Amino acid sequence: MIDSADNVTHMLPVNGPMRLCFTSEREDIVSDFVAELVQDLLGDWIVRQSWTGKPQANGGGRVTVVSDQDAGFRLLQQITQKKEKNGYRLR
């Protein structure tokens, strides 16, 4: 969104979770991965990652507290680049 007062581009507010879902068809890596940026009840921004494995493997998860929404977007971008390099695709 461009602010008409100073012609500077600003992020649009995120009202709900921003979720990225990845999948892989390779047999040697985890098949599904989700990364999402959410704000918790205390107003902190967190990046939540979760994954499921092949039928015989367990899934898992990780929660990372970030300093602000922009830091969360940067972390999601890093996660996306890493996942795509490892053969995952957004679905």
Side-chain angles (χ1 to χ4, degrees), residues 62-73:
R62 175 183 300 144
V63 175
T64 305
V65 178
V66 293
S67 58
D68 57 21
Q69 185 181 24
D70 290 336
F73 284 130

Side-chain angles (χ1 to χ4, degrees), residues 3-90:
D3 187 350
S4 60
D6 59 8
N7 292 326
V8 175
T9 302
H10 299 279
M11 287 270 198
L12 290 173
V14 175
N15 296 330
M18 179 177 182
R19 177 178 285 192
L20 300 174
C21 300
F22 299 89
T23 190
S24 175
E25 309 221 348
R26 289 176 44 187
E27 293 185 21
D28 60 330
I29 60 176
V30 175
S31 58
D32 290 310
F33 182 88
V34 176
E36 59 186 342
L37 174 63
V38 297
Q39 198 169 22
D40 67 12
L41 293 175
L42 299 175
D44 295 326
W45 287 96
I46 60 172
V47 174
R48 191 168 36 219
Q49 300 174 59
S50 58
W51 53 88
T52 59
K54 296 180 247 181
Q56 70 273 18
N58 293 329
R62 175 183 300 144
V63 175
T64 305
V65 178
V66 293
S67 58
D68 57 21
Q69 185 181 24
D70 290 336
F73 284 130
R74 286 191 300 275
L75 182 55
L76 285 180
Q77 185 178 23
Q78 292 170 359
I79 291 168
T80 299
Q81 290 171 347
K82 182 177 179 181
K83 290 299 171 190
E84 287 178 343
K85 181 180 176 183
N86 290 329
Y88 285 83
R89 296 291 169 245
L90 280 170

